[in-house]
Amino acid sequence: MSDTKTAAQKYKNRKRTVIIVFSIVMVLIVGVGAFAVKFLSDLGSTMNKVYQDVDTIDMRNSDVPDEDESGETIDGKKASENSKTTKEDLVNEAKPMAILLIGADTGDLGRTASNGLSDTLIYCVLNPKNQKLTMLSIPRDTLTEIVGKGITTKINAAYSYGGATMCINTVQNLLGLPIDAYAAVNFYGFEQIIDAIGGITVENEFAFSQDEFFYPEGTITLNGMEALDYCRMRYSDPEGDFGRARRQRQVVGIAAKKIMSMSGALNYNELLSAIGDNLLTNVSMDMALTMMDQYGSCLNNIESMDTLKGTSSTENGWVYILDQQNLAEVTAHLREELELDQ
């Protein structure tokens, strides 16, 4: 009789355990589901806030004729026969695409201009086929034509004159390459994004000081303000702007990986707040979610190209004149990564 009671009690205990475990699992599923709905809602609101389309020169489809009012193109074909490739097409079909990252020198350090100068310009190619992100820094003092302004001056002035549209057109003209999407962030936004993901850890090549911060050689962890000064320092760098550009690419790569990780997602409210007030982009929410899926693996294989080579000139103020042979070699490599005809 006692054996029968013991067996019944064991069965009852197992049943209770199963019910408890099942209940916990259901609570977790409902909780995660609610979190996902809330996250997507907040993400959608933020992406709507920061979305700013640009009317730029379409270099990717420059050989595709435009259509007239009848729906035919100037070569007599229907528009469908000469369909243009959009950035959404590239993302949905997981094809290589180019993104311009613009870092504007506003929003902090007492700088309050609406656009400001582009302190940082990084041309990025995402290639999901070879799962690689290629990054090229464009020197801020590069002498070039400012497309749409009709003058030749430092490339960092383009953003100040005409925002993302003029900046993109100017960079496209300089490189002879398309730009499919862009993201522009100011100083304050950069700081807030780094803080929102809990800071970043970098390998510092040599000890230096910038403003009130000291950066020892080796592995160091930086908060937002420290990361900003780490990226801005150039006068104590033996390579000057080349060294600064290398640190900028380093920080962008590390921050992007962390944002994609769970540690970044856990502070998503702070992250979305930082992005919503300080970033502009022509990437929609749907496109952003698809990009995370299609191009996320590229962040594990980053090629950081050397800054474009050239010489300094003081004839018309301090400017940087690019070496045309080096420019041709660099753009040829980028065209290969974009899988464009040479």
Side-chain angles (χ1 to χ4, degrees):
M1 184 73 175
S2 61
D3 290 343
T4 303
K5 286 184 177 180
T6 301
Q9 186 63 41
K10 287 182 178 180
Y11 173 78
K12 187 175 182 180
N13 289 340
R14 282 199 300 269
K15 184 177 179 181
R16 183 184 297 120
T17 301
V18 170
I19 292 173
I20 291 172
V21 171
F22 178 76
S23 299
I24 292 173
V25 169
M26 290 303 296
V27 168
L28 288 174
I29 290 174
V30 172
V32 170
F35 171 83
V37 171
K38 180 68 164 59
F39 171 75
L40 290 175
S41 175
D42 291 345
L43 177 62
S45 297
T46 300
M47 295 306 294
N48 288 335
K49 184 177 181 180
V50 303
Y51 185 83
Q52 185 177 90
D53 207 357
V54 286
D55 185 17
T56 55
I57 298 169
D58 187 359
M59 293 191 65
R60 187 177 284 277
N61 298 292
S62 58
D63 294 332
V64 179
D66 292 324
E67 62 179 86
D68 58 25
E69 294 181 358
S70 68
E72 292 189 352
T73 57
I74 57 175
D75 60 359
K77 296 180 180 179
K78 291 293 183 183
S80 59
E81 299 177 58
N82 286 314
S83 59
K84 294 185 177 183
T85 300
T86 66
K87 60 182 183 295
E88 289 79 12
D89 293 333
L90 296 173
V91 172
N92 291 332
E93 297 171 21
K95 292 183 177 180
M97 68 179 301
I99 300 174
L100 182 65
L101 301 183
I102 305 169
D105 64 351
T106 60
D108 205 350
L109 305 177
R111 304 176 183 183
T112 58
S114 58
N115 283 336
L117 302 172
S118 54
D119 193 68
T120 301
L121 287 174
I122 303 178
Y123 186 90
C124 303
V125 176
L126 290 164
N127 188 326
K129 294 184 179 179
N130 59 18
Q131 297 186 343
K132 185 169 75 173
L133 164 62
T134 303
M135 293 195 293
L136 170 73
S137 296
I138 301 173
R140 52 176 286 172
D141 297 313
T142 298
L143 183 66
T144 191
E145 176 191 353
I146 307 299
V147 177
K149 188 67 176 177
I151 61 173
T152 297
T153 187
K154 296 179 182 181
I155 197 169
N156 66 348
Y159 190 69
S160 178
Y161 285 131
T165 296
M166 190 171 291
C167 185
I168 291 169
N169 283 336
T170 298
V171 174
Q172 286 189 142
N173 183 63
L174 175 71
L175 300 179
L177 296 170
I179 293 173
D180 304 300
Y182 81 95
V185 65
N186 60 29
F187 278 177
Y188 185 69
F190 176 85
E191 287 183 26
Q192 295 298 301
I193 289 170
I194 297 299
D195 283 337
I197 61 176
I200 57 171
T201 300
V202 302
E203 289 295 325
N204 186 29
E205 296 181 354
F206 60 91
F208 66 88
S209 295
Q210 173 72 14
D211 294 336
E212 72 266 35
F213 301 117
F214 173 72
Y215 301 85
E217 180 181 354
T219 304
I220 55 176
T221 299
L222 310 173
N223 63 24
M225 188 174 292
E226 292 167 339
L228 177 62
D229 273 3
Y230 179 79
C231 288
R232 290 179 58 244
M233 190 280 288
R234 61 171 170 167
Y235 294 116
S236 299
D237 194 314
E239 294 185 274
D241 203 45
F242 285 83
R244 177 173 68 167
R246 186 180 300 114
R247 287 191 300 278
Q248 291 172 349
R249 295 192 301 273
Q250 175 195 35
V251 167
V252 167
I254 293 171
K257 288 180 184 178
K258 196 165 184 181
I259 289 172
M260 290 286 287
S261 72
M262 282 305 294
S263 59
L266 290 177
N267 295 320
Y268 86 92
N269 278 320
E270 292 85 351
L271 182 59
L272 292 182
S273 176
I275 291 173
D277 293 332
N278 304 284
L279 181 137
L280 294 174
T281 182
N282 63 340
V283 174
S284 66
M285 175 180 166
D286 289 344
M287 183 175 168
L289 292 173
T290 306
M291 286 180 69
M292 291 171 66
D293 179 53
Q294 301 281 44
Y295 301 93
S297 60
C298 296
L299 297 177
N300 297 318
N301 181 19
I302 298 177
E303 178 187 6
S304 181
M305 300 181 69
D306 288 334
T307 302
L308 291 164
K309 297 178 181 179
T311 56
S312 302
S313 172
T314 57
E315 184 175 344
N316 295 304
W318 202 97
V319 295
Y320 190 70
I321 301 175
L322 296 183
D323 178 279
Q324 293 303 306
Q325 179 61 36
N326 173 255
L327 177 62
E329 293 171 357
V330 168
T331 54
H333 178 66
L334 292 172
R335 291 188 73 85
E336 183 178 349
E337 289 298 322
L338 284 167
E339 298 182 4
L340 298 174
D341 294 335
Q342 294 292 335

